[in-house]
Amino acid sequence: MATSTIIIIVIAVLVFWCIGIYNNLVTLRNNRENAFANIDVQLKMRHDIIPQLVATVKGYAHHEAGTLDKVTAARANAMNATSINDKITAENELTRAMLNLHAVAEAYPDLKANQNFLELQAQLEGTENRISVARKTFNDTTQQYNVSVRSFPANIIAMIFGFDQKAYFSADEAASTAPKVEF
């Protein structure tokens, strides 16, 4: 009788322990998704500013249609991306296209002095800063999640229930390289 009671208690402890690990993994996964939702809000603000910026640049740089078309296409791809990984890839492409747009703007002194352009650039810069902060938070929550998924004994529960490692939202290498503008 005492042995069966001990076995039942041990089994109950193991079950509650597994439930606790599972619930922690769910919490970490949801924290990561919430962190990306915060990025997504900023990305939508960025998407709203870009058409205004492109329209302003169009007024000054008529022969830069290729650059403007690339920005518009990259924005459309970013807005249509559905999964977190697809959004990360699309947003990195949009960042590269925006760098080219800024390089074009540098070549037009009248455009750089235009009040509407300056306001849009300031809004975009503020949004980019908020995206950067939100990206850091997202990467921090992704790291917590990934460490938990890889750590013993949580990795056993993670494997059983299909919790796998997640990608970080890192800046694209091309974003750190200044684009070349030739006329």
Side-chain angles (χ1 to χ4, degrees):
M1 183 70 98
T3 307
S4 62
T5 304
I6 292 173
I7 291 173
I8 290 171
I9 291 172
V10 168
I11 291 173
V13 167
L14 287 175
V15 167
F16 283 113
W17 175 70
C18 288
I19 290 171
I21 291 174
Y22 176 84
N23 287 340
N24 185 53
L25 290 170
V26 168
T27 299
L28 292 171
R29 181 181 60 199
N30 289 343
N31 288 347
R32 179 181 185 271
E33 290 170 1
N34 181 58
F36 192 82
N38 291 334
I39 292 175
D40 213 26
V41 168
Q42 300 305 320
L43 294 176
K44 285 182 174 106
M45 288 176 62
R46 177 190 201 196
H47 299 162
D48 291 343
I49 294 169
I50 289 171
Q52 297 172 44
L53 194 62
V54 167
T56 303
V57 172
K58 265 185 188 175
Y60 285 87
H62 300 291
H63 64 284
E64 297 297 337
T67 300
L68 300 174
D69 289 343
K70 287 178 184 174
V71 170
T72 303
R75 176 185 174 264
N77 288 340
M79 290 178 67
N80 293 327
T82 53
S83 74
I84 289 176
N85 290 342
D86 290 346
K87 285 184 181 196
I88 289 170
T89 300
E91 288 301 331
N92 283 335
E93 290 174 15
L94 180 56
T95 298
R96 283 192 300 274
M98 290 300 296
L99 286 171
N100 289 332
L101 179 66
H102 288 300
V104 166
E106 287 294 316
Y108 294 90
D110 291 344
L111 174 61
K112 290 191 320 186
N114 178 286
Q115 188 61 37
N116 189 33
F117 178 76
L118 293 173
E119 287 174 15
L120 290 168
Q121 244 189 337
Q123 287 178 21
L124 189 60
E125 183 179 321
T127 301
E128 294 292 340
N129 289 337
R130 288 187 295 277
I131 290 170
S132 178
V133 169
R135 183 183 291 144
K136 182 187 179 329
T137 301
F138 173 78
N139 285 340
D140 289 346
T141 60
T142 299
Q143 180 185 22
Q144 290 172 347
Y145 173 84
N146 285 343
V147 166
S148 187
V149 165
R150 288 180 282 176
S151 298
F152 181 80
N155 63 343
I156 296 169
I157 303 299
M159 184 178 61
I160 291 170
F161 289 103
F163 290 90
D164 53 351
Q165 290 187 55
K166 303 294 184 184
Y168 293 94
F169 193 162
S170 57
D172 189 50
E173 276 189 42
S176 63
T177 306
K180 287 175 64 174
V181 179
E182 296 176 15
F183 296 101

